[in-house]
Amino acid sequence: MLPQLEAFLQASSKVKSVQIIDNDPLDEKNYLFKIRCELISGNTLQIRLRAESGSLRYSYQELPSGVRQPPVLLSGTDRQTLATLG
């Protein structure tokens, strides 16, 4: 799943660069990924994906340029995405 997500982000016209921060695959169905993207706006997008026991939990933060602490954290679970990409 990580190669597909990385390719998707790199192909986006809004993303300047992509950096894999953490790549911790336990096996094909259980893993933790952390990704940081520099956006063309100057902001930073951080994404965290954790697949465990058939479910996908995710969170993402868009940090304004120059801000060290995230103002908002959004998260959720999406079993359909895991089934599609897994």
Side-chain angles (χ1 to χ4, degrees):
M1 181 172 163
L2 183 59
Q4 294 128 327
L5 180 57
E6 188 176 8
F8 175 79
L9 292 168
Q10 289 176 339
S12 172
S13 61
K14 296 182 179 189
V15 175
K16 187 184 282 188
S17 65
V18 176
Q19 180 182 11
I20 306 303
I21 302 299
D22 195 0
N23 181 1
D24 187 16
L26 301 173
D27 57 42
E28 283 188 23
K29 296 185 180 184
N30 297 286
Y31 52 80
L32 171 66
F33 299 140
K34 292 180 187 176
I35 303 166
R36 183 173 293 146
C37 302
E38 181 183 355
L39 304 178
I40 60 169
S41 67
N43 292 351
T44 299
L45 176 64
Q46 296 183 143
I47 303 167
R48 182 177 179 265
L49 298 167
R50 181 179 199 83
E52 190 173 48
S53 303
S55 66
L56 177 63
R57 298 180 56 82
Y58 62 91
S59 62
Y60 61 93
Q61 308 163 337
E62 183 173 349
L63 306 172
S65 178
V67 174
R68 292 187 181 267
Q69 294 297 320
V72 177
L73 175 64
L74 304 170
S75 65
T77 301
D78 188 347
R79 290 176 187 260
Q80 184 178 6
T81 300
L82 180 62
T84 304
L85 298 175

